[in-house]
Amino acid sequence: MRGEYRVKGAKNSALPILAAAVSKPGIHEIHDCPRIGDVFVMEEILRSLGADTCFEGNCLRADTRNMEGTVVSREIMSRMRSSVFLMGSLLARHGEATVHRPGGCRIGRRPIDIHIDGLSQMGFCVESRGEEIRCSGRCRGGRVRLPYPSVGATENLMMAALSGENETVIENCACEPEIADLQGFLRTCGFDVTGGGTSRIVVRGFSKGTHASGGAAAGDTMYFIVEDRIEAATYMAAVLATGGRAVFRNIRTEMLEEVLGVFKRMGAAIRSFDDTIEIIAPEKLKSPGIVVTSPFPGFPTDCQPQLMTLCTAAGGLTTIREEVFESRFTHKKELAKMGANIDICGKNAIIKGGLPLKGAEVSAADLRGGAALVIAGLSAGGETDVRDIYHIDRGYENFDEGLRQMGGIIERRTCD
Ligand code: UD1
């Protein structure tokens, strides 16, 4: 694969930011918003609560002025884990929220105990009845320390704290760039949030009238979503897997330091300038040795499946240790159908690389695992059929088209 690709706006920013648009009545213009399945589900949620939304190109316009709903249906919650963000944003807006235990990619147990315990510590009343969770009240402020830097819990608690009368300090937060981006959006809305992107976030609630346009007062916002570092890494992995060379625009190296470090260990040549990164595949990929996934700035778990595909082509033994989710190796079985030699041993995947992959019929079981299978198909001899690509469409906008633009031989077929 060769060519140029402009990286789109980040899925993992768009979802919490769209939920956060509920916190403030107004017309929100969210630019660089990816047109992906999960964003469409978030639009449906906002509409079910009384918002108007529409896309113009990659700008999503959400009018949240007349939203009155506080209940997110069980059916819609089962379709996407990010629906859980409505707990925080509805609490900020209305002081009450009824949600259900969320669904999403089946990559581990994915409980929401950190979200619920955090809300309780902040003074909200949280009642669970079966799958239903009812929350109400106002944030009383104070200090909350997360037992683990959960990305979603950090974002949910940031939003819930907006309703507080006092200052809320959230410690041991996740530091992912998408959290700094959510903070950027909230600040654009007039809320007083600092520390996003570090392990300590301070939110000053709006009940005291600490700011002119924030809180429940109406106002319009325009915001540009940060670039999708995972989308960029996925396309880069496709370029490396096919022995190619490409230039990526709208992506900064600081978003991807660990990933680029691993690609370099595999022999890739990488040059960067401002928000452009050029990546050139080596003659033959080398094993990166041991790679361990961890919260930002560590190697992202969302790039682990794509890396596993790359390592099947790399000479030598690679160990990938998955430390974030318990069952995120579902793509292993499918890669094995294509001739990959991978052993799973607890949290470790041991890949004996260097064997050429061959085309096969495989199924995507989750979003990133599905992308990894497409990359495997592009690099394998013969034809590969990847089924259940709705998983991929949840998180990549026109993935097949993007790959085709860069020389990937791929087509989308509708099966009965
Ligand atoms: C977010 C990302 C997802 C990414 C993940 C880790 C979004 C929309 N999704 O998911 O793409 O893979 O971060 O970088 O931003 N956990 C608990 N209890 C909780 C919450 C989480 O035990 O209440 C555990 C999870 O099961 C998991 C780990 O913490 O093992 C990390 O989860 P978390 O950081 O919350 O991920 P998400 O926000 O769901």
Side-chain angles (χ1 to χ4, degrees):
M1 286 171 55
R2 286 185 157 251
E4 185 179 298
Y5 186 77
R6 183 187 180 276
V7 177
K8 300 201 167 59
K11 158 187 167 289
N12 288 353
S13 274
L15 296 170
I17 284 175
L18 287 174
V22 173
S23 321
K24 164 143 175 165
I27 299 173
H28 303 276
E29 264 184 28
I30 315 292
H31 292 264
D32 255 342
C33 186
R35 297 178 75 121
I36 52 174
D38 275 4
V39 164
F40 300 145
V41 175
M42 187 56 88
E43 264 193 288
E44 263 186 66
I45 295 179
L46 298 191
R47 285 202 210 122
S48 76
L49 296 168
D52 278 330
T53 67
C54 67
F55 258 112
E56 272 170 43
N58 278 98
C59 171
L60 179 56
R61 193 169 169 278
D63 180 348
T64 62
R65 287 172 300 179
N66 301 315
M67 292 184 80
E68 290 193 346
T70 57
V71 182
V72 187
S73 79
R74 184 179 180 155
E75 186 280 320
I76 216 160
M77 294 260 340
S78 67
R79 282 159 57 195
M80 182 178 70
R81 182 171 170 89
S82 295
S83 50
V84 80
F85 294 136
L86 272 299
M87 270 204 272
S89 62
L90 284 172
L91 281 171
R93 171 86 177 256
H94 298 296
E96 62 178 274
T98 302
V99 299
H100 296 79
R101 291 198 184 269
C105 272
R106 289 190 203 100
I107 52 181
R109 286 181 307 119
R110 307 190 86 179
I112 53 167
D113 54 320
I114 304 175
H115 301 241
I116 290 177
D117 292 350
L119 290 175
S120 303
Q121 281 176 50
M122 286 160 70
F124 293 101
C125 169
V126 185
E127 292 169 316
S128 288
R129 223 179 299 151
E131 293 294 292
E132 188 183 274
I133 303 164
R134 280 189 198 187
C135 324
S136 57
R138 294 246 156 235
C139 177
R140 68 166 165 248
R143 182 178 155 271
V144 180
R145 188 174 173 79
L146 306 186
Y148 176 87
S150 151
V151 177
T154 301
E155 293 167 333
N156 222 347
L157 298 183
M158 270 166 91
M159 291 187 247
L162 298 172
S163 73
E165 307 222 328
N166 302 305
E167 186 175 280
T168 303
V169 179
I170 312 169
E171 290 175 348
N172 197 29
C173 295
C175 301
E176 269 66 3
E178 293 77 21
I179 295 171
D181 204 34
L182 171 62
Q183 170 177 290
F185 175 73
L186 292 173
R187 290 180 68 89
T188 305
C189 289
F191 293 111
D192 188 347
V193 185
T194 51
T198 74
S199 60
R200 186 174 185 273
I201 294 176
V202 179
V203 183
R204 289 179 195 86
F206 58 75
S207 315
K208 260 189 171 168
T210 44
H211 45 80
S213 62
D220 300 341
T221 55
M222 181 171 131
Y223 194 74
F224 283 78
I225 287 183
V226 76
E227 69 264 33
D228 196 323
R229 61 196 165 99
I230 309 296
E231 191 207 29
T234 303
Y235 277 90
M236 287 177 185
V239 169
L240 292 180
T242 56
R245 168 180 193 153
V247 171
F248 291 87
R249 306 217 178 271
N250 190 38
I251 179 73
R252 292 161 294 162
T253 49
E254 62 260 36
M255 303 289 272
L256 276 176
E257 262 166 27
E258 270 298 311
V259 174
L260 295 177
V262 168
F263 288 166
K264 277 186 192 158
R265 279 181 359 230
M266 299 184 79
I270 294 170
R271 288 195 290 228
S272 61
F273 180 71
D274 284 346
D275 63 349
T276 300
I277 301 178
E278 181 181 17
I279 185 154
I280 305 164
E283 196 93 327
K284 174 100 189 74
L285 287 165
K286 292 183 292 211
S287 159
I290 300 173
V291 179
V292 182
T293 67
S294 64
F296 192 83
F299 190 90
T301 172
D302 285 353
C303 293
Q304 176 262 105
Q306 302 87 315
L307 178 68
M308 190 181 287
T309 293
L310 262 191
C311 292
T312 63
L317 268 189
T318 305
T319 300
I320 303 182
R321 190 171 171 84
E322 175 55 64
E323 283 286 0
V324 180
F325 291 105
E326 311 91 36
S327 30
R328 201 170 196 176
F329 287 139
T330 47
H331 40 284
K332 178 255 163 181
K333 196 162 81 20
E334 303 304 290
L335 288 173
K337 287 183 192 163
M338 300 177 73
N341 186 341
I342 304 167
D343 284 328
I344 304 292
C345 199
K347 293 175 169 186
N348 298 308
I350 297 138
I351 303 135
K352 295 188 191 90
L355 301 171
L357 296 179
K358 53 183 191 306
E361 196 175 287
V362 292
S363 291
D366 62 69
L367 165 58
R368 309 299 173 185
L373 296 177
V374 171
I375 297 171
L378 288 170
S379 66
E383 196 173 280
T384 299
D385 262 1
V386 183
R387 302 275 165 127
D388 295 337
I389 57 168
Y390 62 90
H391 288 291
I392 300 175
D393 290 333
R394 282 187 34 221
Y396 294 91
E397 179 177 329
N398 296 332
F399 193 41
D400 50 323
E401 199 180 298
L403 293 167
R404 226 175 5 253
Q405 254 176 37
M406 298 171 76
I409 302 171
I410 176 167
E411 65 176 296
R412 178 182 289 260
R413 283 186 205 147
T414 309
C415 305
D416 299 330

